[in-house]
Amino acid sequence: MNKKTTNSRTTESIPKTLSGIQGLDEITHGGLPTGRPTLICGSAGCGKTLLAMEFLMRGATQYGEPGVFMAFEENEQDLILNMRSLGFDLKKLIAQKKILLDYIHIDRQEIEETGEYDLEGLFIRLDYAIKSIGAKRVVLDTIEALFAGLPNEMILRAELRRLFRWLKDRGMTAIITGESGDKTLTRHGLEEYVADCVMTLDHRVQNQMSTRRLRVVKYRGTVHGTNEYPFLIGEAGISVLPVTSLGLNHEASVQRISSGIPKLDEMLAGKGYYRGSSVLVSGSPGVGKSSIAAHFIDAACRRGERCQLFAYEESSDQIMRNMRSIGIDLAPWIEKGLLQIHAVRPTLCGIESHLVSMHHKIGAFKPSVVVVDPISSLSITQDEAELKPTLMRLIDFLKMQKITALFTSLVSGGMNLEDSQVGVSSLMDTWLLLRNAETNGERNRTFYVLKSRGTAHSNQIREFVITNKGVDLQEIYLGADKTLTGSARATQEANEALAEQRLQREHQRRLQQLDRKRTTIAAQIIALEAEMKSDEEEMKSFAMQEELRQKTLSNERRTMSRLRGQ
Amino acid sequence: MKAPKNTDHKRAEAENWILRLYVAGQTKKSLIALANLKRICEQKLENKYRIEVVDLLENPKLAAGDQILAIPTLVRKMPTPVKKIIGDLSNEERVLVGLDLKPVS
């Protein structure tokens, strides 16, 4: 099972055996060293036995490699019960001869040492167990119990060295567990004998929340992840979460999907979010983050896409009631199987556990849209520094799956909105900010797009109005020195309307006045023309009268002269 | 009870001690242990004992029954409670303590 490593100089690393444990094979680039023993150390209750057992069971069920489990601490019955609680039917595998369980009980009280001896009995038992089922995998859990049971440490150490060599000679891929010691990895220094691959498990409690972590301390002859990786013991066994081993090589979609709010789509170049991008909606309490989320869910379901909502503040009933009040009915989508709501308290478990349950839920439901409302609740149990890598893992995971994700984030009062989210905001592609504006004795919501990678977006601040028909984004009044929202905006708008009306009336009046004046002048023109005409007429009649008079005069003179001349 | 080889047959009515010695082949340690055991038994228990020798190389299954890890291991099956003594039995003092024979002597 040679696996190519990322290192270009070593193209082939040592043969590896897949453990089948989620995430572990990624960290180790292919599993545990084949035919060699691996030491797993950790304090009590950190999951050593479980990891070892899962290694065997996965080997037996998935890779056809039977395994022997030598238990020094728990007896068969306990182990079977413990594994059943994690969904593994150990009894069946034992019956099928895929796994052999051998419980070795040592009681110091019963043992009296009387001279030279060796541990051939253990070898014989192990050999017999391996041969009887043709085992390829072996677990010794935990061989350190021998140190408590056998008084002569010198003999024991020599025998352990022989045992590990013996296991190697037989080509057994083995897991040896050990309690962690004060200064050494294991209490009795088992790491001296098992030098090929060593992993530590750790179980820490911070702020009353427990987190398990796994680290590969050394792994000879191969590259491996060196970080501490959180792991979980869940319903399906162990899951190790590799942090950013995924790298940044997800495909970027050019497809756009609606935010569910037409005016918001308009602000984002008229098209909405990119598919597969991550969106952060942050704001102070009660600004309507969940409403934006609900619109997005509603829009996704309307397109017939599956949607997964992780709610950490409200129960699914409460969400549906509240969203109905703004005119969004999510119930039909649940009935149609398009929407799945997973509502739990954030304090239920550590953030890693939440992450794993998200993985499982997303893996099973295969949604194209995921909403987390709110991510800030998750940080209640963890400081921001730890939240970031976890979210990075989640976002990476979602991006690989081309899932569009919307996260809401609560910003508590007094904090600078932009500063407080720096930790996670750099992971986000689109960041919508909601803000409260308090003026004139009322609180109004303002909204803007703080960033949106790879797309033109409006630089405007809008007023965010929640109506019973959903969310609306209204343009706010931008005055000389101030922006106005709410009733102040309404008053301003009314005032403006009034002033406008007045102006229009004035304009009308002026127009009418001018019109009237024009009409008067026109009338005057007609009167003058008439006058002129009558004057002309008069002139003509004068001229005619004069002509007539002249004519008459000359006639009269002629007549006179004729009369005298007789 | 499985049937280990009886090496020493004593009279049945006298057998209130049953001692089982686990060995793995005829190794030096095994031989020393058996010799030591025989000697101690003859001295302390006379005829009231029976020794069973179990070779795990021949019968590996039997190792689980008495939780055998160390070789050689001597198990006192009778009288109860069951006691285990590991090693080649060369430290006689400790063997006697282990078998609860010390106060008797």
Side-chain angles (χ1 to χ4, degrees):
Chain A
M1 231 171 285
N2 287 358
K3 176 135 183 156
K4 285 206 169 171
T5 64
T6 48
N7 194 327
S8 55
R9 273 198 284 181
T10 55
T11 46
E12 295 276 320
S13 78
I14 61 163
K16 289 175 185 178
T17 294
L18 289 168
S19 67
I21 295 169
Q22 214 182 338
L24 184 64
D25 295 332
E26 288 177 44
I27 297 169
T28 53
H29 295 274
L32 305 180
T34 303
R36 299 189 195 191
T38 297
L39 176 67
I40 293 182
C41 43
S43 51
C46 67
K48 301 185 291 288
T49 305
L50 187 67
L51 191 137
M53 188 56 105
E54 197 175 333
F55 166 71
L56 282 195
M57 303 193 80
R58 301 256 178 221
T61 53
Q62 293 174 10
Y63 305 108
E65 295 192 349
V68 170
F69 194 98
M70 281 251 158
F72 293 86
E73 278 178 337
E74 287 175 284
N75 65 28
E76 289 98 329
Q77 279 313 308
D78 288 351
L79 279 167
I80 289 170
L81 276 176
N82 294 349
M83 294 313 288
R84 191 180 297 157
S85 72
L86 293 157
F88 290 107
D89 194 352
L90 191 53
K91 219 169 186 170
K92 196 174 124 202
L93 289 172
I94 293 171
Q96 291 172 342
K97 293 211 175 271
K98 286 180 174 168
I99 281 186
L100 195 144
L101 212 61
D102 196 358
Y103 169 58
I104 296 181
H105 171 79
I106 326 154
D107 190 348
R108 183 116 187 207
Q109 305 260 292
E110 289 179 6
I111 292 175
E112 192 70 45
E113 203 180 272
T114 62
E116 287 283 302
Y117 64 93
D118 54 39
L119 294 183
E120 195 58 36
L122 179 65
F123 285 78
I124 288 169
R125 277 174 81 163
L126 199 50
D127 191 48
Y128 175 69
I130 290 168
K131 279 182 181 146
S132 64
I133 60 163
K136 293 266 186 286
R137 301 180 179 207
V138 169
V139 168
L140 303 173
D141 177 57
T142 159
I143 201 138
E144 285 194 311
L146 290 179
F147 283 91
L150 297 171
N152 192 331
E153 208 173 286
M154 230 168 61
I155 291 179
L156 188 50
R157 284 184 184 280
E159 287 296 286
L160 284 182
R161 187 165 281 132
R162 185 160 76 95
L163 176 65
F164 297 140
R165 209 168 43 233
W166 184 87
L167 284 170
K168 253 187 187 174
D169 290 345
R170 270 160 184 72
M172 290 294 136
T173 307
I175 285 184
I176 289 113
T177 63
E179 290 273 319
S180 52
D182 276 344
K183 283 181 185 138
T184 50
L185 284 173
T186 55
R187 193 169 292 166
H188 298 280
L190 287 180
E191 60 271 21
E192 279 178 48
Y193 315 117
V194 189
D196 292 314
C197 181
V198 180
M199 296 181 198
T200 55
L201 303 184
D202 180 21
H203 192 189
R204 263 176 263 171
V205 177
Q206 270 178 340
N207 301 333
Q208 296 143 38
M209 303 295 290
S210 77
T211 316
R212 296 166 197 275
R213 286 185 174 79
L214 178 144
R215 186 164 81 94
V216 181
V217 180
K218 82 189 253 191
Y219 197 159
R220 267 191 194 158
T222 171
V223 288
H224 60 85
T226 49
N227 297 334
E228 278 193 322
Y229 300 95
F231 75 96
L232 285 170
I233 298 174
E235 288 154 20
I238 286 180
S239 323
V240 186
L241 306 170
V243 194
T244 41
S245 62
L246 302 165
L248 281 171
N249 45 16
H250 43 259
E251 278 175 51
S253 172
V254 289
Q255 203 191 337
R256 304 290 277 261
I257 54 172
S258 169
S259 65
I261 305 168
K263 289 223 172 129
L264 175 55
D265 291 345
E266 258 171 50
M267 289 176 82
L268 296 164
K271 295 166 191 161
Y273 314 127
Y274 276 116
R275 184 176 289 284
S277 68
S278 41
V279 181
L280 175 69
V281 180
S282 65
S284 36
V287 285
K289 299 182 291 295
S290 301
S291 307
I292 291 185
H295 269 288
F296 185 48
I297 293 168
D298 192 48
C301 291
R302 267 175 215 283
R303 289 192 301 270
E305 292 175 15
R306 282 169 199 256
C307 188
Q308 172 79 51
L309 168 63
F310 296 100
Y312 294 112
E313 269 176 357
E314 297 174 291
S315 73
S316 64
D317 252 13
Q318 201 183 339
I319 292 168
M320 289 204 277
R321 184 202 65 193
N322 295 351
M323 289 310 134
R324 219 170 281 137
S325 78
I326 61 161
I328 301 172
D329 195 1
L330 298 176
W333 306 130
I334 294 182
E335 279 162 26
K336 279 190 185 169
L338 286 171
L339 173 63
Q340 207 173 62
I341 300 181
H342 176 70
V344 288
R345 280 266 163 230
T347 43
L348 175 76
C349 47
I351 186 159
E352 285 81 11
S353 314
H354 281 301
L355 186 57
V356 164
S357 76
M358 283 177 182
H359 272 242
H360 287 322
K361 288 267 184 313
I362 291 167
F365 189 54
K366 305 207 184 313
S368 66
V369 165
V370 166
V371 173
V372 182
D373 182 29
I375 42 164
S376 43
S377 285
L378 295 174
S379 68
I380 290 173
T381 56
Q382 230 97 16
D383 49 54
E384 293 255 328
E386 291 193 40
L387 186 64
K388 190 175 175 180
T390 311
L391 283 176
M392 205 165 4
R393 261 174 254 147
L394 178 63
I395 291 167
D396 268 343
F397 171 70
L398 293 173
K399 284 199 167 167
M400 294 296 286
Q401 315 272 321
K402 295 199 181 67
I403 294 172
T404 317
L406 186 139
F407 305 90
T408 70
S409 172
L410 177 72
V411 183
S412 43
M415 285 162 87
N416 186 337
L417 280 171
E418 288 172 32
D419 287 350
S420 58
Q421 298 295 322
V422 162
V424 294
S425 67
S426 61
L427 303 170
M428 302 292 174
D429 298 315
T430 301
W431 187 4
L432 311 175
L433 206 58
L434 284 158
R435 219 187 258 269
N436 276 323
E438 275 183 48
T439 40
N440 305 338
E442 62 179 43
R443 193 169 63 84
N444 294 301
R445 307 175 174 95
T446 56
F447 173 92
Y448 61 99
V449 182
L450 195 118
K451 78 165 181 189
S452 190
R453 285 179 183 150
T455 167
H457 52 277
S458 168
N459 64 345
Q460 283 179 3
I461 294 180
R462 301 283 173 105
E463 182 170 358
F464 186 83
V465 186
I466 300 177
T467 67
N468 57 8
K469 287 198 182 70
V471 161
D472 194 17
L473 298 169
Q474 295 189 347
E475 295 198 19
I476 59 172
Y477 176 79
L478 294 159
D481 296 321
K482 55 187 177 178
T483 56
L484 295 178
T485 53
S487 61
R489 172 177 53 83
T491 316
Q492 185 68 31
E493 278 169 4
N495 284 344
E496 275 183 4
L498 214 64
E500 176 69 24
Q501 274 179 3
R502 201 180 299 135
L503 275 173
Q504 278 196 353
R505 268 206 306 276
E506 181 79 1
H507 179 68
Q508 282 296 325
R509 203 175 54 79
R510 293 284 299 275
L511 274 181
Q512 278 170 3
Q513 219 170 27
L514 285 170
D515 196 42
R516 266 202 304 276
K517 201 170 166 188
R518 198 177 56 88
T519 322
T520 320
I521 291 170
Q524 280 173 340
I525 291 171
I526 291 167
L528 285 170
E529 269 180 350
E531 203 180 321
M532 197 171 78
K533 215 170 184 175
S534 71
D535 282 357
E536 272 172 17
E537 299 272 312
E538 209 169 333
M539 261 167 67
K540 266 185 200 160
S541 105
F542 269 135
M544 276 170 73
Q545 273 179 11
E546 180 64 22
E547 204 182 331
L548 208 62
R549 195 183 61 90
Q550 290 284 345
K551 232 182 202 167
T552 316
L553 198 64
S554 65
N555 280 348
E556 270 178 13
R557 272 189 198 141
R558 237 179 283 146
T559 315
M560 277 293 242
S561 65
R562 208 172 46 222
L563 284 176
R564 256 183 244 163
Q566 277 176 351
Chain B
M1 191 172 289
K2 309 251 160 53
K5 267 197 289 185
N6 285 5
T7 47
D8 283 39
H9 283 282
K10 302 291 168 192
R11 280 172 306 170
E13 63 265 30
E15 287 177 5
N16 21 16
W17 281 72
I18 300 174
L19 300 167
R20 190 180 290 176
L21 183 68
Y22 285 90
V23 294
Q26 302 287 312
T27 62
K28 195 179 150 204
K29 271 183 267 210
S30 307
L31 295 173
I32 293 172
L34 187 55
N36 283 332
L37 180 60
K38 278 182 179 166
R39 179 170 46 81
I40 294 164
C41 288
E42 274 309 320
Q43 285 169 10
K44 303 292 175 189
L45 298 168
E46 289 163 9
N47 288 331
K48 302 185 300 227
Y49 71 95
R50 186 177 71 188
I51 295 175
E52 305 167 356
V53 175
V54 178
D55 190 341
L56 290 179
L57 288 186
E58 287 168 25
N59 268 312
K61 263 189 274 187
L62 298 181
D66 277 318
Q67 290 292 344
I68 304 304
L69 292 178
I71 293 292
T73 296
L74 176 65
V75 180
R76 186 185 82 175
K77 303 294 278 184
M78 289 286 280
T80 47
V82 172
K83 292 231 151 209
K84 269 187 219 166
I85 298 167
I86 59 172
D88 60 11
L89 311 177
S90 48
N91 185 337
E92 194 176 325
E93 196 80 350
R94 297 199 70 132
V95 175
L96 295 178
V97 171
L99 289 175
D100 280 338
L101 282 171
K102 190 71 177 159
V104 183
S105 64

